[in-house]
Amino acid sequence: MMRYQQLSTPAQRLFDRGSKKRNEVTVPYDEAPESFATLVPESGYAETIYIRKDGQYYYVEISQTTQRPSFQAFLLRLGSLLGAIGLGTLAGYFVLTAED
């Protein structure tokens, strides 16, 4: 358990932003306040932290996720790969069938 007053100023702002919305707040790991970033588990499972503020207890779940590329980015990479394979195959064909 942590007390609200023990949190750094950026961590308090992040906590307040989430508690006002009563919703999930997502922050990139490198932008997370140090008092939260040090608690992030590497396993990907959520870590629950209880914070006491004004006599009330709140829980905060902290986890680390890896962003997947969008479907468009995937298709772009796949297209580039298939194009390179096709051009390489075509170039190999011309090299092998060229007459001296």
Side-chain angles (χ1 to χ4, degrees), residues 2-80:
M2 299 176 79
R3 291 186 177 180
Y4 178 81
Q5 292 80 10
Q6 292 173 322
L7 297 174
S8 65
T9 304
Q12 287 179 357
R13 277 190 249 130
L14 182 63
F15 176 82
D16 292 338
R17 198 169 93 195
S19 62
K20 285 179 185 174
K21 293 181 180 180
R22 293 184 174 253
N23 203 351
E24 180 179 313
V25 176
T26 303
V27 178
Y29 180 76
D30 56 346
E31 295 177 18
E34 186 176 333
S35 48
F36 286 153
T38 58
L39 302 172
V40 174
E42 293 180 21
S43 62
Y45 296 105
E47 180 76 29
T48 302
I49 302 164
Y50 293 93
I51 297 177
R52 183 174 185 210
K53 179 182 177 185
D54 300 330
Q56 297 275 347
Y57 289 91
Y58 301 87
Y59 76 93
V60 176
E61 287 187 0
I62 298 175
S63 64
Q64 183 175 355
T65 58
T66 304
Q67 290 284 47
R68 295 184 195 159
S70 68
F71 187 66
Q72 290 175 329
F74 170 75
L75 288 179
L76 184 63
R77 291 175 186 162
L78 181 62
S80 300

